Amino acid sequence: MSDTARRVGTVSRGIRCPIIREGDDLAAIVATSVLEAATIEGFPLRDRDVIAMTESIVARSQGNYASVDAIAADVKAKLGGDTIGVIFPILSRNRFAICLKGIAKGAKKIVLMLSYPSDEVGNGLVSLDKLDEAGVNPYSDVLTLERYRELFGENKHEFTGVDYVQYYGDLIREMGAEVEIIFANRPQAILSYADHVLTCDIHTRARTKRILREAGAKVVCGLDDILTAPVEGSGYNAKYGLLGSNKSTEDKIKLFPNECKDLVLDVQERILKATGRHVEVMVYGDGAFKDPQGKIWELADPVVSPAFTDGLVGTPNELKLKYLADNDFGDLSGEALKKAISDSIRAKDGSLVGNMAAQGTTPRQLTDLIGSLCDLTSGSGDKGTPVVLVQGYFDNYTND
């Protein structure tokens, strides 16, 4: 390796920005923040760098908020306002509790059906070991609240300390609705209690809706069907409805950002004009990864990235260096090994799917991989870096 060869591959930098408010020119703020960071910190921008911004600042700049009352009005209009089966919600004060307030306010009675032993993204209600000890089959058994308490008692969330069964029941009652809580994993189990159903799962929602309709439900909606249009001037999301929303205040949510392809193209164009560099730009929300301690899958948004420039379409097309080193070129070392591997990388052509030298690489969408990196970089607290600059992601071993 020469003295001038690059020693660094991918770099992810959190970029500090002003606090974003409704109506701000977000494209200008993001481009300026990146350019100022590059000047002050002394790093150059390169072609195919990735500038990513959190969905939160996009939605805030759009003013995409809605109240509990707006949710209630839409739920009542679409599901009748009487008894509503609310099934498969995730257990989250940030993600679902405010939505549940609005849902309950739009109904006389809520039959809340919780999946068990955990919700869709891994928040646990009871351990598998306890299910085994009790002889409960989660694939078929429907438990009443009384039976759940009898078998498993109170179960507080490992990280939040909240008993979500009690918490959700109390929220519903506070909104003036009756509540009945059951535990089941087969969607059609709710139809013994209600035939107007709001399914709240995220990534399995299409299958759940199909099962319910085939089983005879009179009305089926998902969270993605609520607030798909403004209600008395509220925010909305035409594609995802309430999916991807977050708590803003005790009676208001911030929705997932609306169409923002123009935004990423605007940022891309501003950087090109300022530097001559063709960067890629994306909006990101939750990363797509799982916590091994709490078994929680991070992705509570409907997608990792709701908007991105065209250069981020697709999946990685990479060779596995350790496979080449140990198999194809196991008899080489030093400069001969470097040259052989470099030649193989330069010679790769077309899709590597099925090629043994690509096994073990990650066949995921680029936006899911880069968005996950950005989510981990920016964090969800007080880092103050809602924009992330990723450099060198598309480089390989041959790039100097």
Side-chain angles (χ1 to χ4, degrees), residues 9-331:
T10 300
V11 174
S12 177
R13 288 183 172 90
I15 305 296
R16 291 183 176 174
C17 297
I19 302 300
I20 305 300
R21 294 297 189 190
E22 180 178 353
D24 285 348
D25 186 344
L26 188 58
I29 292 172
V30 170
T32 298
S33 297
V34 171
L35 292 169
E36 288 179 347
T39 299
I40 293 170
E41 300 294 337
F43 58 83
L45 294 178
R46 302 187 182 98
D47 290 332
R48 299 214 77 190
D49 285 353
V50 180
I51 297 172
M53 64 198 95
T54 65
E55 58 82 20
S56 177
I57 61 171
V58 178
R60 287 214 306 274
S61 70
Q62 293 176 344
N64 203 18
Y65 295 88
S67 68
V68 165
D69 288 340
I71 297 170
D74 209 29
V75 167
K76 187 173 183 178
K78 291 174 177 173
L79 286 141
D82 196 0
T83 298
I84 299 174
V86 176
I87 72 172
F88 301 155
I90 64 172
L91 307 176
S92 172
R93 294 168 296 176
N94 175 44
R95 287 290 191 170
F96 188 69
I98 308 303
C99 294
L100 182 58
K101 281 187 176 183
I103 294 164
K105 197 168 184 179
K108 292 180 180 177
K109 179 179 179 179
I110 296 293
V111 181
L112 183 66
M113 189 171 93
L114 301 174
S115 56
Y116 73 101
S118 67
D119 69 8
E120 179 184 4
V121 296
N123 294 294
L125 283 174
V126 60
S127 72
L128 284 169
D129 288 334
K130 287 185 177 179
L131 290 185
D132 292 342
E133 291 170 10
V136 172
N137 183 346
Y139 300 103
S140 61
D141 294 350
V142 178
L143 305 179
T144 63
L145 176 59
E146 293 72 25
R147 183 60 174 160
Y148 168 82
R149 292 297 193 198
E150 177 188 333
L151 290 173
F152 307 118
E154 182 183 70
N155 291 278
K156 293 184 177 181
H157 192 282
E158 178 180 3
F159 297 145
T160 66
V162 173
D163 178 353
Y164 278 97
V165 177
Q166 183 68 44
Y167 177 55
Y168 279 179
D170 289 345
L171 279 183
I172 293 167
R173 283 184 283 268
E174 287 171 11
M175 292 297 103
E178 296 179 50
V179 60
E180 182 174 0
I181 300 176
I182 61 172
F183 303 80
N185 290 306
R186 296 173 65 246
Q188 53 269 53
I190 193 63
L191 298 181
S192 297
Y193 303 83
D195 55 14
H196 289 58
V197 184
L198 177 62
T199 182
C200 302
D201 46 345
I202 306 162
H203 308 293
T204 55
R205 63 189 184 276
R207 176 177 181 267
T208 301
K209 289 179 186 179
R210 172 182 59 78
I211 290 171
L212 288 168
R213 291 184 179 118
E214 290 174 353
K218 288 186 178 179
V219 178
V220 178
C221 289
L223 287 181
D224 56 332
D225 298 310
I226 306 300
L227 288 189
T228 53
V231 174
E232 297 181 359
S234 75
Y236 69 99
N237 189 290
K239 186 173 184 180
Y240 296 118
L242 290 179
L243 289 179
S245 62
N246 285 270
K247 177 180 179 178
S248 175
T249 69
E250 292 303 322
D251 61 0
K252 186 170 68 173
I253 60 168
K254 177 197 65 61
L255 291 127
F256 211 48
N258 266 308
E259 177 57 45
C260 43
K261 183 65 178 277
D262 288 347
L263 171 65
V264 298
L265 293 173
D266 192 354
V267 174
Q268 185 181 56
E269 181 64 21
R270 288 171 185 269
I271 298 296
L272 182 63
K273 286 182 177 179
T275 67
R277 296 301 185 183
H278 184 88
V279 300
E280 304 297 343
V281 185
M282 65 182 286
V283 176
Y284 69 95
D286 279 344
F289 48 82
K290 186 172 182 177
D291 166 46
Q293 172 63 33
K295 308 297 187 291
I296 298 170
W297 185 31
E298 175 71 8
L299 187 56
D301 286 326
V303 291
V304 172
S305 178
F308 46 88
T309 50
D310 292 346
L312 296 176
V313 174
T315 60
N317 200 46
E318 301 173 350
L319 294 170
K320 196 78 167 180
L321 295 192
K322 66 183 181 182
Y323 181 90
L324 294 175
D326 292 345
N327 290 272
D328 293 20
F329 309 119
D331 58 337

Side-chain angles (χ1 to χ4, degrees), residues 282 284-288 304 366-376:
M282 65 182 286
Y284 69 95
D286 279 344
V304 172
L366 288 167
T367 50
D368 292 345
L369 292 164
I370 298 171
S372 298
L373 171 61
C374 292
D375 189 26
L376 289 167

